[in-house]
mmCIF file of all heavy atoms in Angstrom:
data_model
loop_
_atom_site.group_PDB
_atom_site.id
_atom_site.type_symbol
_atom_site.label_atom_id
_atom_site.label_comp_id
_atom_site.label_asym_id
_atom_site.label_seq_id
_atom_site.Cartn_x
_atom_site.Cartn_y
_atom_site.Cartn_z
ATOM 1 N N ASP A 1 13.776 17.383 -6.612
ATOM 2 C CA ASP A 1 12.541 16.959 -5.950
ATOM 3 C C ASP A 1 12.767 15.696 -5.128
ATOM 4 O O ASP A 1 12.235 15.563 -4.019
ATOM 5 C CB ASP A 1 11.448 16.723 -6.996
ATOM 6 C CG ASP A 1 11.061 18.001 -7.728
ATOM 7 O OD1 ASP A 1 11.317 19.100 -7.180
ATOM 8 O OD2 ASP A 1 10.521 17.910 -8.848
ATOM 9 N N TYR A 2 13.558 14.770 -5.659
ATOM 10 C CA TYR A 2 13.884 13.563 -4.899
ATOM 11 C C TYR A 2 14.620 13.932 -3.607
ATOM 12 O O TYR A 2 14.317 13.414 -2.531
ATOM 13 C CB TYR A 2 14.747 12.622 -5.735
ATOM 14 C CG TYR A 2 15.348 11.496 -4.917
ATOM 15 C CD1 TYR A 2 14.647 10.321 -4.700
ATOM 16 C CD2 TYR A 2 16.624 11.634 -4.340
ATOM 17 C CE1 TYR A 2 15.189 9.296 -3.925
ATOM 18 C CE2 TYR A 2 17.164 10.624 -3.561
ATOM 19 C CZ TYR A 2 16.447 9.459 -3.357
ATOM 20 O OH TYR A 2 16.986 8.458 -2.568
ATOM 21 N N SER A 3 15.604 14.823 -3.717
ATOM 22 C CA SER A 3 16.424 15.179 -2.566
ATOM 23 C C SER A 3 15.587 15.700 -1.410
ATOM 24 O O SER A 3 15.817 15.345 -0.244
ATOM 25 C CB SER A 3 17.463 16.237 -2.969
ATOM 26 O OG SER A 3 18.366 15.726 -3.914
ATOM 27 N N ILE A 4 14.604 16.535 -1.718
ATOM 28 C CA ILE A 4 13.818 17.179 -0.665
ATOM 29 C C ILE A 4 12.609 16.344 -0.251
ATOM 30 O O ILE A 4 12.332 16.159 0.936
ATOM 31 C CB ILE A 4 13.372 18.578 -1.126
ATOM 32 C CG1 ILE A 4 14.604 19.453 -1.384
ATOM 33 C CG2 ILE A 4 12.449 19.229 -0.088
ATOM 34 C CD1 ILE A 4 14.286 20.805 -1.985
ATOM 35 N N LYS A 5 11.894 15.828 -1.207
ATOM 36 C CA LYS A 5 10.626 15.154 -0.908
ATOM 37 C C LYS A 5 10.788 13.704 -0.491
ATOM 38 O O LYS A 5 9.954 13.173 0.246
ATOM 39 C CB LYS A 5 9.703 15.232 -2.125
ATOM 40 C CG LYS A 5 9.328 16.655 -2.514
ATOM 41 C CD LYS A 5 8.471 16.684 -3.771
ATOM 42 C CE LYS A 5 8.118 18.110 -4.180
ATOM 43 N NZ LYS A 5 7.315 18.145 -5.433
ATOM 44 N N ILE A 6 11.851 13.058 -0.960
ATOM 45 C CA ILE A 6 11.993 11.627 -0.705
ATOM 46 C C ILE A 6 13.168 11.313 0.220
ATOM 47 O O ILE A 6 13.038 10.525 1.153
ATOM 48 C CB ILE A 6 12.144 10.855 -2.033
ATOM 49 C CG1 ILE A 6 10.868 11.015 -2.865
ATOM 50 C CG2 ILE A 6 12.455 9.379 -1.781
ATOM 51 C CD1 ILE A 6 10.917 10.345 -4.210
ATOM 52 N N HIS A 7 14.328 11.949 0.004
ATOM 53 C CA HIS A 7 15.523 11.544 0.754
ATOM 54 C C HIS A 7 15.726 12.328 2.047
ATOM 55 O O HIS A 7 16.208 11.777 3.039
ATOM 56 C CB HIS A 7 16.768 11.688 -0.128
ATOM 57 C CG HIS A 7 17.903 10.807 0.316
ATOM 58 N ND1 HIS A 7 18.244 9.648 -0.332
ATOM 59 C CD2 HIS A 7 18.768 10.906 1.360
ATOM 60 C CE1 HIS A 7 19.262 9.066 0.284
ATOM 61 N NE2 HIS A 7 19.605 9.827 1.319
ATOM 62 N N GLN A 8 15.388 13.586 2.068
ATOM 63 C CA GLN A 8 15.671 14.428 3.239
ATOM 64 C C GLN A 8 14.898 13.971 4.462
ATOM 65 O O GLN A 8 13.711 13.656 4.396
ATOM 66 C CB GLN A 8 15.321 15.884 2.937
ATOM 67 C CG GLN A 8 15.729 16.852 4.050
ATOM 68 C CD GLN A 8 15.500 18.312 3.650
ATOM 69 O OE1 GLN A 8 14.723 18.597 2.755
ATOM 70 N NE2 GLN A 8 16.189 19.226 4.313
ATOM 71 N N ASN A 9 15.591 13.928 5.598
ATOM 72 C CA ASN A 9 14.911 13.672 6.856
ATOM 73 C C ASN A 9 14.027 14.886 7.164
ATOM 74 O O ASN A 9 14.521 16.013 7.161
ATOM 75 C CB ASN A 9 15.938 13.481 7.979
ATOM 76 C CG ASN A 9 15.338 12.838 9.213
ATOM 77 O OD1 ASN A 9 14.388 12.071 9.133
ATOM 78 N ND2 ASN A 9 15.905 13.151 10.361
ATOM 79 N N PRO A 10 12.743 14.711 7.382
ATOM 80 C CA PRO A 10 11.865 15.870 7.579
ATOM 81 C C PRO A 10 12.409 16.846 8.627
ATOM 82 O O PRO A 10 12.807 16.440 9.715
ATOM 83 C CB PRO A 10 10.553 15.235 8.027
ATOM 84 C CG PRO A 10 10.573 13.870 7.400
ATOM 85 C CD PRO A 10 12.018 13.448 7.453
ATOM 86 N N TYR A 11 12.470 18.116 8.262
ATOM 87 C CA TYR A 11 12.951 19.192 9.130
ATOM 88 C C TYR A 11 14.425 19.018 9.515
ATOM 89 O O TYR A 11 14.887 19.584 10.506
ATOM 90 C CB TYR A 11 12.092 19.295 10.384
ATOM 91 C CG TYR A 11 10.626 19.337 10.105
ATOM 92 C CD1 TYR A 11 9.822 18.234 10.398
ATOM 93 C CD2 TYR A 11 10.028 20.451 9.511
ATOM 94 C CE1 TYR A 11 8.468 18.246 10.119
ATOM 95 C CE2 TYR A 11 8.673 20.474 9.224
ATOM 96 C CZ TYR A 11 7.894 19.366 9.524
ATOM 97 O OH TYR A 11 6.553 19.375 9.237
ATOM 98 N N GLY A 12 15.159 18.239 8.722
ATOM 99 C CA GLY A 12 16.557 18.001 9.042
ATOM 100 C C GLY A 12 17.411 17.899 7.795
ATOM 101 O O GLY A 12 17.108 18.489 6.758
ATOM 102 N N GLY A 13 18.484 17.126 7.916
ATOM 103 C CA GLY A 13 19.428 16.989 6.820
ATOM 104 C C GLY A 13 19.307 15.666 6.090
ATOM 105 O O GLY A 13 18.204 15.129 5.916
ATOM 106 N N TRP A 14 20.452 15.107 5.697
ATOM 107 C CA TRP A 14 20.460 13.907 4.855
ATOM 108 C C TRP A 14 21.505 12.913 5.355
ATOM 109 O O TRP A 14 22.467 13.271 6.031
ATOM 110 C CB TRP A 14 20.806 14.268 3.417
ATOM 111 C CG TRP A 14 19.791 15.088 2.701
ATOM 112 C CD1 TRP A 14 18.794 14.644 1.877
ATOM 113 C CD2 TRP A 14 19.675 16.518 2.709
ATOM 114 N NE1 TRP A 14 18.068 15.697 1.373
ATOM 115 C CE2 TRP A 14 18.585 16.868 1.867
ATOM 116 C CE3 TRP A 14 20.383 17.541 3.341
ATOM 117 C CZ2 TRP A 14 18.195 18.188 1.645
ATOM 118 C CZ3 TRP A 14 19.990 18.850 3.133
ATOM 119 C CH2 TRP A 14 18.917 19.165 2.288
ATOM 120 N N ARG A 15 21.300 11.651 4.950
ATOM 121 C CA ARG A 15 22.295 10.616 5.186
ATOM 122 C C ARG A 15 22.262 9.628 4.020
ATOM 123 O O ARG A 15 21.682 9.898 2.987
ATOM 124 C CB ARG A 15 22.057 9.905 6.514
ATOM 125 C CG ARG A 15 23.305 9.182 7.019
ATOM 126 C CD ARG A 15 23.267 8.865 8.480
ATOM 127 N NE ARG A 15 24.522 8.277 8.913
ATOM 128 C CZ ARG A 15 24.834 8.082 10.175
ATOM 129 N NH1 ARG A 15 24.000 8.455 11.128
ATOM 130 N NH2 ARG A 15 25.991 7.522 10.505
ATOM 131 N N TYR A 16 22.897 8.475 4.173
ATOM 132 C CA TYR A 16 22.962 7.501 3.081
ATOM 133 C C TYR A 16 21.572 7.079 2.629
ATOM 134 O O TYR A 16 21.257 7.070 1.439
ATOM 135 C CB TYR A 16 23.730 6.246 3.504
ATOM 136 C CG TYR A 16 25.037 6.498 4.208
ATOM 137 C CD1 TYR A 16 25.348 5.846 5.391
ATOM 138 C CD2 TYR A 16 25.969 7.393 3.679
ATOM 139 C CE1 TYR A 16 26.548 6.068 6.041
ATOM 140 C CE2 TYR A 16 27.167 7.625 4.313
ATOM 141 C CZ TYR A 16 27.456 6.952 5.501
ATOM 142 O OH TYR A 16 28.641 7.183 6.138
ATOM 143 N N ASP A 17 20.736 6.681 3.569
ATOM 144 C CA ASP A 17 19.380 6.244 3.263
ATOM 145 C C ASP A 17 18.404 7.403 3.337
ATOM 146 O O ASP A 17 18.695 8.458 3.930
ATOM 147 C CB ASP A 17 18.926 5.168 4.255
ATOM 148 C CG ASP A 17 19.605 3.838 4.016
ATOM 149 O OD1 ASP A 17 20.152 3.647 2.916
ATOM 150 O OD2 ASP A 17 19.594 2.991 4.928
ATOM 151 N N ALA A 18 17.232 7.204 2.777
ATOM 152 C CA ALA A 18 16.193 8.229 2.814
ATOM 153 C C ALA A 18 15.560 8.317 4.197
ATOM 154 O O ALA A 18 15.314 7.297 4.852
ATOM 155 C CB ALA A 18 15.123 7.909 1.775
ATOM 156 N N LYS A 19 15.346 9.555 4.636
ATOM 157 C CA LYS A 19 14.582 9.857 5.839
ATOM 158 C C LYS A 19 15.097 9.142 7.094
ATOM 159 O O LYS A 19 14.338 8.612 7.896
ATOM 160 C CB LYS A 19 13.100 9.527 5.630
ATOM 161 C CG LYS A 19 12.441 10.373 4.554
ATOM 162 C CD LYS A 19 10.945 10.177 4.538
ATOM 163 C CE LYS A 19 10.220 10.903 3.440
ATOM 164 N NZ LYS A 19 10.747 12.146 2.961
ATOM 165 N N VAL A 20 16.428 9.147 7.262
ATOM 166 C CA VAL A 20 17.015 8.606 8.487
ATOM 167 C C VAL A 20 17.818 9.714 9.166
ATOM 168 O O VAL A 20 18.001 10.795 8.611
ATOM 169 C CB VAL A 20 17.918 7.385 8.192
ATOM 170 C CG1 VAL A 20 17.109 6.256 7.573
ATOM 171 C CG2 VAL A 20 19.079 7.773 7.286
ATOM 172 N N SER A 21 18.316 9.432 10.367
ATOM 173 C CA SER A 21 19.071 10.442 11.105
ATOM 174 C C SER A 21 20.249 10.918 10.278
ATOM 175 O O SER A 21 20.957 10.134 9.645
ATOM 176 C CB SER A 21 19.559 9.869 12.436
ATOM 177 O OG SER A 21 20.395 8.755 12.223
ATOM 178 N N GLU A 22 20.495 12.218 10.326
ATOM 179 C CA GLU A 22 21.390 12.871 9.376
ATOM 180 C C GLU A 22 22.848 12.827 9.818
ATOM 181 O O GLU A 22 23.156 12.573 10.971
ATOM 182 C CB GLU A 22 20.986 14.345 9.218
ATOM 183 C CG GLU A 22 19.499 14.601 9.160
ATOM 184 C CD GLU A 22 18.886 14.885 10.523
ATOM 185 O OE1 GLU A 22 19.229 14.175 11.501
ATOM 186 O OE2 GLU A 22 18.103 15.836 10.612
ATOM 187 N N ASP A 23 23.735 13.121 8.865
ATOM 188 C CA ASP A 23 25.130 13.392 9.200
ATOM 189 C C ASP A 23 25.594 14.600 8.396
ATOM 190 O O ASP A 23 25.043 14.928 7.345
ATOM 191 C CB ASP A 23 26.030 12.178 8.983
ATOM 192 C CG ASP A 23 26.278 11.830 7.524
ATOM 193 O OD1 ASP A 23 26.828 12.663 6.792
ATOM 194 O OD2 ASP A 23 25.931 10.700 7.110
ATOM 195 N N THR A 24 26.614 15.268 8.899
ATOM 196 C CA THR A 24 27.103 16.506 8.287
ATOM 197 C C THR A 24 27.720 16.253 6.925
ATOM 198 O O THR A 24 27.558 17.051 5.993
ATOM 199 C CB THR A 24 28.128 17.165 9.209
ATOM 200 O OG1 THR A 24 27.512 17.451 10.475
ATOM 201 C CG2 THR A 24 28.657 18.463 8.621
#
């Protein structure tokens, strides 16, 4: 739940911080 609701950039992927521009 944390991964999707809190950390994932909306409609995108993930990076070090929550909800920031993603990296592969």
